[in-house]
């Protein structure tokens, strides 16, 4: 990004950037649900010949803007004309997992509960499949004011398949960080908002001290 | 890690570290399948009062050593005695996805095909569930000399559920990097080894130029 002449992003993420990173650059910042307009302006900037960076939080490929930029380049027939590169980052699921201990040491499914772009029935089907096949489940966009009941419904599906430990991380590695681990039946969905990420353990996940631990299976094979 | 007095890790990962990072530190490097002995030595070192870092490649929480260290601390009753912190990293799935384009823009499942610590029947059940619920699927440890047939079997399960694009990344961001995208029915499992990661798209994933694109759903809702 240091080489970019133009930096494009959601206002909330642009505000997270140190001011020296943005010094001397054109900044295009827009609000929530402005994703399409924002990415189109980024493509316009690149078309005009300027090195342009689109910023996401976490990893730009996980529910981030990498896909939308690529889709716009494809739709407009610009795939060979504009050079496009995705720089990987630490996804929110890994930041949250690190704070919780080691919940992702076995197979996991990442599911967004936002039904803005995905029908709720598809989301439910994925939660059911992940619960039945005993995946650890990471829930992005777990709850908003508009969607206050869906998290409880999602956790109800998992609870029918198994008892489990559950971890909640809010604002991972940011101001206002909160981290908590408890049993699924003691979990209060009301404590969750859009700045949170929820990780539900698989049937082997246990609480170790104040951490969440999904064993990989060494204890069954070796003497620890 | 810069503050650690002792650095512990698999020989192959220790070799990736710049020598200045290791200068003046005790280094404990052991080979493959030496995970338990390695992590126990790390715990011994911490018990002796030395700041100790255990290194993994990618993110230490995703099939990495974070879980095993925490498990050993738990088994030995050291959870409150030894301070334990996990530092998140860029997981291999995100590094590979970035090189492939944007395959992870929708819900995805991460599955290891290694049956060293997990029964193959459990792995198959997870592949079937992820395929049926139309997850993008990232396959870790896709193929070794000993396990040469399982990747073909896994991809066969997905193929019965859907046609799909598939991406193969070998040695992401390392020397010898290889990146390729093709249709699932044209994919050759023989090209895959243990240094590779395979990402199978969902039913919406398409090939855009030489990239892999899983649309988030903007095109259905907005005019791109």
């Amino acid at each position: 990004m240091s080489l970019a002449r133009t930096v494009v992003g959601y206002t909330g993420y642009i505000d997270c950037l140190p001011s020296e990173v943005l010094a001397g650059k054109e900044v295009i910042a827009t609000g929530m649900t402005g994703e399409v307009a924002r990415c189109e302006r980024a493509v316009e900037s690149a078309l005009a010949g300027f090195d342009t960076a689109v910023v996401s939080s976490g990893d730009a490929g996980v529910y981030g803007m990498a896909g939308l930029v690529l889709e716009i380049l494809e739709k407009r027939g610009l795939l060979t004309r504009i050079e496009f590169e995705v720089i990987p980052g630490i996804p929110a699921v890994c930041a949250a997992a690190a704070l919780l201990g080691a919940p992702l040491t076995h197979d996991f499914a990442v599911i967004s509960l936002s039904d803005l772009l995905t029908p709720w029935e598809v989301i439910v089907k994925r939660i059911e499949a992940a619960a039945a096949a005993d995946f650890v489940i990471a829930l992005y966009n777990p709850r908003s004011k508009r969607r206050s009941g869906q998290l409880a419904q999602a956790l109800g599906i998992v609870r029918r398949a198994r008892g489990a430990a559950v971890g909640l991380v809010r604002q991972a590695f940011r101001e206002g960080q909160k981290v908590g681990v408890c049993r699924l039946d003691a979990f209060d969905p009301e404590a969750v908002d859009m700045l949170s990420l929820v990780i539900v353990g698989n049937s082997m996940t246990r609480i170790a001290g104040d951490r969440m631990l999904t064993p990989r299976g060494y204890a069954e094979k070796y003497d620890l």
Side-chain angles (χ1 to χ4, degrees), chain A:
Chain A
M1 188 165 61
S2 56
L3 297 171
R5 180 264 198 186
T6 305
V7 178
V8 183
Y10 165 54
T11 313
Y13 301 153
I14 293 286
D15 291 345
C16 292
L17 293 171
S19 55
E20 60 266 30
V21 170
L22 297 176
K25 299 187 193 326
E26 181 193 19
V27 175
I28 301 174
T30 59
M32 284 256 279
T33 73
E35 295 97 318
V36 173
R38 203 152 61 223
C39 290
E40 281 180 339
R41 286 181 69 184
V43 169
E44 287 301 329
S45 166
L47 255 184
F50 303 115
D51 286 337
T52 304
V54 178
V55 294
S56 285
S57 69
D59 179 89
V62 177
Y63 305 117
M65 291 297 104
L68 185 52
V69 173
L70 185 55
E71 200 167 358
I72 292 170
L73 291 176
E74 179 203 42
K75 281 264 150 94
R76 296 180 59 173
L78 297 171
L79 283 171
T80 53
R81 207 168 134 198
I82 292 181
E83 207 179 314
F84 170 77
E85 183 189 6
V86 181
I87 297 164
I90 297 173
V93 61
C94 288
L99 293 169
L100 290 168
L104 301 181
T105 320
H106 219 299
D107 304 330
F108 62 97
V110 174
I111 302 173
S112 167
L113 292 193
S114 170
D115 61 358
L116 209 61
L117 298 170
T118 306
W120 178 240
E121 302 73 50
V122 172
I123 300 171
V124 165
K125 191 179 168 190
R126 288 186 181 154
I127 299 165
E128 288 173 342
D134 204 25
F135 280 96
V136 175
I137 303 173
L139 299 173
Y140 274 64
N141 308 310
R143 191 167 182 269
S144 68
K145 282 182 189 155
R146 186 181 61 80
R147 294 183 295 103
S148 61
Q150 298 181 338
L151 176 61
Q153 195 181 334
L155 296 178
I157 294 169
V158 181
R159 204 156 43 224
R160 280 197 294 280
R162 59 177 123 130
V166 57
L168 170 63
V169 176
R170 190 175 182 276
Q171 292 281 67
F173 296 96
R174 292 194 187 145
E175 210 178 302
Q177 174 180 298
K178 280 186 195 161
V179 182
V181 174
C182 69
R183 300 289 316 164
L184 185 49
D185 47 23
F187 186 77
D188 177 18
E190 299 289 319
V192 180
D193 65 10
M194 278 301 271
L195 301 173
S196 310
L197 197 137
V198 174
I199 298 183
V200 190
N202 67 17
S203 62
M204 305 296 286
T205 305
R206 57 185 185 259
I207 296 171
D210 56 358
R211 314 292 182 114
M212 197 172 165
L213 167 63
T214 303
R216 181 87 176 89
Y218 290 104
E220 282 69 51
K221 187 148 177 161
Y222 304 97
D223 196 23
L224 291 191

